[in-house]
């Protein structure tokens, strides 16, 4: 039964292999139940073998023991969770309330069981758990509240292993490259950790990002196991189509594991925003290798550190405003180069240095540039039209652009609009909202999802969307979360006013290029461009006036 979930290449290997060879290679303990092997034991060894066959970078002979244990943990936990859910869902209950209580308890048991496996396996599994913790619009709260613990529970790599990695990747030890190197990491994440060091024969302190060696070793197998888990979920629970999560990880993980790519992204972002008056700061890159990144050492405070804001007279509203400008520029600006992981650990605030070009008394420091996406011009324009029609609540055009951007049918577009804004579709007519109104509507929306049978519909909707659209939605959610962590008093009105300006700008840029590149006479083109420029300028003036009035009303100024 389980072999159907494996990649065809691995399945053929199982069928064609002799029975003698496999147990010798993967000697797993026999767990007898009426004289039979437990399925999880066999499948754990099977997945390890599958990785060795399907992925050429994995060496099963060298890592068989560790890999078998990792696979066994995942498959056993999956088997127990599926059995638990099957028992609960197939049982009869006196009342619906008792059924919901039993299901909630099952969610909690399975979440805690999975959390233990994620912590023991580490690496990619920590990353998966962190993704799950942010998916409160899909996954039951018992899962998200349990997985959120993984935000601060990442195992570190010892200084001895760090030194070995340096010798292997650079040919030099830590002592040869640094006058000082602090053994205790400044921070530890699922894929890497950061140390502070002083460059050799220099007074320059740097931040050194080092990939966990175990991630490189285990990532091929872990990706296979992740795909197996999501395929198993789809097999046992056909309505929960989450394989798109595994698809996205297979694309994004190799990017995040290549620190030379991260260095390029950081440099390109810094160069782009150098041409704009902004408070954004990207630490300078010193040098990089695929598993090592050395950059400028920068200190600051987390974005939710309200004490720091008060002590340094930094306006939370201005920080929120600048965050909106920065990420809308990334999405809708020329070139469309988007940082796709702007969570609270990757953004911090510092006082404005003397040499800074920031127009504020602070800088927003953006870290972790491993995961970026280039947004094609057509997607920018369609996405801009989508948001303008959400803000204006133009239902007919909203249907058109929902189909263009997210492959959403007319029947499902109200659900899509609710998912992208985080509130019931009918309440979109009342956009924008105050902070309290937004919070109340989001609570109502989550209750509708959990009780009204919308969960499966949303999962099916997401499974059919283009991956780029999913990343755009994820980034919007993360930016909204950053804004909410600032506890500003301005609500969503500011967010939509700023977004509308960038949407108009993207549409205008595309329209002007289209008019100018048309086959008309140059006089005709000039006239059409001039008329459109006047129309655009009038629209932008309206938004500038509305934004200025908004700032005046809330007694803060940009």
């Amino acid at each position: 039964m389980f072999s159907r979930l494996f990649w065809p290449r691995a399945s053929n290997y199982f069928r064609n292999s002799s029975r003698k060879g496999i147990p010798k290679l993967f000697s797993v303990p026999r767990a007898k139940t009426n004289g039979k092997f437990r399925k999880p034991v066999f499948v754990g060894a099977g997945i390890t073998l599958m990785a060795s066959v399907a992925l050429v970078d994995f060496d099963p002979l060298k890592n068989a023991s560790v890999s078998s244990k990792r696979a066994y943990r995942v498959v056993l936990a999956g088997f127990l969770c599926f059995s638990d859910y099957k028992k609960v869902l197939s049982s009869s209950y006196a009342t619906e309330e008792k059924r919901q209580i039993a299901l909630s308890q099952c969610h909690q048991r399975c979440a805690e069981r999975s959390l233990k496996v994620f912590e023991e396996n580490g690496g990619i599994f920590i990353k998966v758990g962190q993704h799950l913790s942010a998916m409160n619009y899909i996954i039951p709260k018992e899962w998200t509240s349990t997985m959120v613990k993984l935000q601060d529970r990442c195992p570190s790599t010892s200084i001895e292993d760090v030194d070995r990695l340096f010798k292997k990747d650079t040919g030099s030890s830590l002592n040869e490259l640094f006058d000082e190197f602090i053994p205790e990491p400044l921070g530890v994440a699922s894929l890497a950790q950061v140390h502070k060091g002083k460059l050799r024969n220099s007074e320059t302190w740097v931040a050194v990002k080092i990939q966990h060696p175990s991630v490189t070793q285990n990532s091929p197998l872990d990706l296979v196991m992740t795909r197996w888990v999501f395929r198993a979920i789809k097999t046992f629970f056909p309505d929960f189509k989450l394989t798109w999560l595994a698809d996205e990880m297979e694309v994004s993980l190799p990017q995040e594991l290549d620190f030379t790519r991260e260095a390029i992204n950081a440099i390109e972002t810094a160069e782009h925003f150098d041409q704009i008056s902004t408070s954004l700061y990207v630490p300078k890159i010193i040098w990089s290798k695929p598993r090592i990144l050395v950059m400028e050492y920068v200190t600051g405070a987390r974005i939710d550190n309200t004490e720091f804001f008060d002590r340094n007279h930094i306006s939370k509203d201005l920080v929120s405003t600048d965050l909106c400008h920065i990420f809308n520029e990334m999405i809708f600006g020329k070139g469309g180069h988007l940082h796709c992981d702007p969570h609270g650990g990757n953004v911090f605030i510092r006082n404005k240095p003397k040499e800074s070009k920031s127009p504020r008394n602070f800088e927003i420091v953006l870290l972790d540039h491993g995961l970026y996406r280039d947004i094609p011009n057509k997607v920018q324009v369609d996405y801009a039209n989508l948001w303008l029609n959400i803000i204006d609540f133009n239902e007919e055009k909203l249907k058109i652009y929902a189909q263009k951007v997210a492959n959403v049918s007319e029947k499902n577009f109200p659900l899509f609009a609710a998912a992208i804004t985080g509130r019931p579709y009918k309440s979109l007519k009342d956009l924008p909202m105050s902070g309290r109104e937004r919070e109340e509507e989001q609570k109502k929306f989550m209750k509708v999802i959990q009780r009204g049978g919308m969960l499966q519909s949303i999962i099916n909707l997401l499974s059919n969307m283009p991956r780029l659209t999913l990343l755009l939605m994820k980034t919007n959610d993360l930016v909204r979360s950053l804004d909410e962590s600032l506890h500003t008093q301005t609500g969503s009105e500011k967010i939509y006013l700023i977004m509308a300006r960038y949407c108009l700008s993207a549409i205008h840029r595309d329209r002007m290029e289209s008019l100018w590149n048309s086959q008309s006479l140059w006089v005709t083109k000039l006239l059409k461009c001039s008329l459109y420029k006047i129309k655009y300028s009038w629209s932008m003036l309206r938004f500038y006036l509305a934004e200025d009035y908004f700032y005046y009303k809330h007694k803060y100024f940009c």
Side-chain angles (χ1 to χ4, degrees):
M1 177 177 69
F2 287 91
S3 62
R4 292 200 305 267
L5 304 173
F6 297 169
W7 289 355
R9 187 175 173 189
S11 300
N12 293 336
Y13 187 86
F14 279 122
R15 286 193 290 269
N16 298 332
S17 298
S18 65
R19 187 172 174 82
K20 293 179 181 178
I22 294 176
K24 287 183 179 180
L25 185 60
F26 298 101
S27 58
V28 293
R30 290 173 179 263
K32 292 186 176 180
T33 306
N34 297 327
K36 298 180 179 180
F37 291 108
R38 282 183 182 174
K39 290 179 181 177
V41 176
F42 172 73
V43 179
I47 289 183
T48 307
L49 181 58
M50 177 175 66
S52 69
V53 176
L55 297 168
V56 296
D57 292 334
F58 182 75
D59 183 355
L61 294 172
K62 182 179 178 182
N63 303 302
S65 176
V66 173
S67 301
S68 295
K69 288 178 182 178
R70 294 171 67 80
Y72 176 73
R73 290 187 197 118
V74 173
V75 178
L76 178 60
F79 185 79
L80 293 174
C81 287
F82 293 141
S83 299
D84 202 349
Y85 274 114
K86 183 177 180 181
K87 181 180 178 181
V88 171
L89 294 173
S90 61
S91 299
S92 299
Y93 301 92
T95 64
E96 177 62 21
E97 183 181 357
K98 289 185 177 180
R99 179 184 174 278
Q100 289 297 330
I101 291 172
L103 186 57
S104 176
Q105 292 171 344
C106 179
H107 286 323
Q108 191 63 46
R109 286 193 302 271
C110 293
E112 290 175 358
R113 192 179 291 133
S114 301
L115 175 67
K116 183 179 178 183
V117 172
F118 288 178
E119 288 179 325
E120 289 176 344
N121 278 7
I124 293 174
F125 288 94
I126 299 286
K127 195 80 173 175
V128 172
Q130 290 171 345
H131 280 310
L132 295 178
S133 70
M135 298 176 66
N136 54 4
Y137 53 91
I138 292 180
I139 296 173
K141 66 179 185 300
E142 292 85 357
W143 278 85
T144 56
S145 61
T146 300
M147 292 299 161
V148 78
K149 298 171 185 175
L150 291 173
Q151 298 291 347
D152 300 313
R153 287 193 195 175
C154 299
S156 62
T157 297
S158 69
I159 191 64
E160 292 78 16
D161 286 339
V162 169
D163 192 41
R164 277 192 286 271
L165 185 145
F166 264 84
K167 287 177 181 176
K168 183 174 182 181
D169 288 20
T170 69
S172 302
S173 66
L174 291 173
N175 290 333
E176 292 172 311
L177 293 171
F178 301 94
D179 281 339
E180 292 184 52
F181 192 88
I182 310 302
E184 294 77 23
L186 296 171
V188 182
S190 56
L191 304 181
Q193 63 191 44
V194 178
H195 290 260
K196 182 181 178 182
K198 189 163 74 171
L199 293 176
R200 192 77 173 170
N201 300 322
S202 169
E203 294 301 316
T204 304
W205 285 95
V206 292
V208 186
K209 183 176 179 179
I210 302 137
Q211 192 175 120
H212 298 305
S214 59
V215 170
T216 310
Q217 175 183 312
N218 296 320
S219 59
L221 172 64
D222 290 350
L223 279 173
V224 172
M225 287 193 290
T226 302
R227 175 163 291 280
W228 178 84
V229 168
F230 287 123
R231 285 189 178 182
I233 291 172
K234 184 178 178 181
T235 299
F236 290 103
F237 304 101
D239 292 327
F240 287 75
K241 300 173 182 177
L242 293 173
T243 50
W244 56 270
L245 280 173
D247 293 337
E248 179 53 39
M249 284 196 70
E250 287 184 356
V251 173
S252 63
L253 191 67
Q255 293 183 31
E256 293 187 81
L257 293 180
D258 183 1
F259 291 174
T260 58
R261 182 69 248 176
E262 179 174 348
I264 293 170
N265 289 334
I267 292 168
E268 289 179 351
T269 299
E271 289 175 348
H272 178 83
F273 280 91
D274 274 348
Q275 304 169 33
I276 303 169
S277 178
T278 177
S279 60
L280 178 68
Y281 186 78
V282 178
K284 294 180 177 63
I285 302 299
I286 310 299
W287 57 267
S288 65
K289 295 283 184 181
R291 296 194 295 175
I292 303 169
L293 180 62
V294 180
M295 68 197 101
E296 177 187 5
Y297 176 69
V298 179
T299 59
R302 282 180 59 95
I303 202 166
D304 55 0
N305 187 342
T306 55
E307 185 181 332
F308 175 83
F309 284 83
D310 295 337
R311 187 171 63 250
N312 293 279
H313 308 291
I314 293 173
S315 167
K316 291 184 287 185
D317 290 294
L318 286 182
V319 171
S320 171
T321 297
D322 281 14
L323 278 171
C324 290
H325 279 291
I326 289 164
F327 282 95
N328 276 292
E329 172 64 28
M330 287 184 173
I331 294 172
F332 299 109
K334 192 169 184 178
H337 199 50
L338 176 63
H339 186 301
C340 294
D341 199 19
H343 60 74
N346 289 339
V347 180
F348 62 82
I349 311 299
R350 70 171 181 171
N351 287 312
K352 176 182 176 179
K354 290 181 180 179
E355 68 279 5
S356 172
K357 297 179 181 179
S358 171
R360 315 294 192 199
N361 66 335
F362 61 84
E363 284 185 335
I364 298 174
V365 182
L366 185 60
L367 305 172
D368 197 356
H369 299 266
L371 183 58
Y372 270 68
R373 283 291 188 277
D374 291 322
I375 307 174
N377 182 66
K378 185 179 185 308
V379 175
Q380 284 183 315
V381 174
D382 288 342
Y383 194 59
N385 275 300
L386 173 73
W387 271 107
L388 283 179
N389 286 293
I390 287 175
I391 294 168
D392 291 339
F393 198 73
N394 187 324
E395 200 164 355
E396 290 305 312
K397 288 187 177 180
L398 184 52
K399 293 176 183 178
I400 294 170
Y401 287 105
Q403 200 283 325
K404 286 185 176 183
V405 171
N407 195 30
V408 173
S409 65
E410 183 174 336
K411 175 184 175 183
N412 289 328
F413 99 92
L415 181 63
F416 168 72
I420 199 172
T421 58
R423 56 179 61 94
Y425 173 66
K426 292 180 180 179
S427 73
L428 297 183
K429 296 179 182 179
D430 302 322
L431 286 176
M433 295 178 169
S434 69
R436 182 174 293 180
E437 289 172 330
R438 176 179 58 181
E439 187 177 339
E440 289 175 356
E441 286 297 330
Q442 286 174 337
K443 287 180 180 178
K444 289 179 186 177
F445 182 53
M446 290 311 300
K447 286 180 181 178
V448 170
I449 287 177
Q450 291 170 2
R451 283 196 246 159
M454 287 177 64
L455 181 59
Q456 292 178 6
S457 300
I458 288 179
I459 291 173
N460 291 337
L461 184 75
L462 295 176
S463 68
N464 293 318
M465 279 187 198
R467 299 293 161 256
L468 182 55
T469 302
L470 286 171
L471 273 176
L472 286 169
M473 289 177 64
K474 172 196 166 187
T475 304
N476 274 334
D477 284 343
L478 289 170
V479 173
R480 269 200 298 265
S481 177
L482 288 174
D483 183 70
E484 289 167 6
S485 69
L486 287 165
H487 303 292
T488 62
Q489 302 301 314
T490 52
S492 61
E493 189 175 356
K494 170 189 78 264
I495 294 174
Y496 291 115
L497 279 171
I498 294 171
M499 179 183 283
R501 279 173 47 191
Y502 282 89
C503 290
L504 276 174
S505 180
I507 295 168
H508 166 71
R509 186 176 62 247
D510 177 73
R511 180 64 175 157
M512 290 292 282
E513 289 178 2
S514 176
L515 288 172
W516 197 249
N517 292 327
S518 65
Q519 300 299 316
S520 306
L521 294 172
W522 73 268
V523 176
T524 306
K525 289 195 286 188
L526 185 61
L527 179 61
K528 286 182 178 179
C529 287
S530 299
L531 290 172
Y532 187 77
K533 183 72 174 180
I534 292 170
K535 181 181 177 182
Y536 164 74
S537 298
W538 170 243
S539 298
M540 288 297 286
L541 178 61
R542 289 169 56 202
F543 277 106
Y544 275 116
L545 291 173
E547 198 172 339
D548 286 342
Y549 172 72
F550 170 79
Y551 297 143
Y552 173 77
K553 183 174 68 174
H554 290 280
K555 294 182 174 59
Y556 77 97
F557 302 94
C558 292

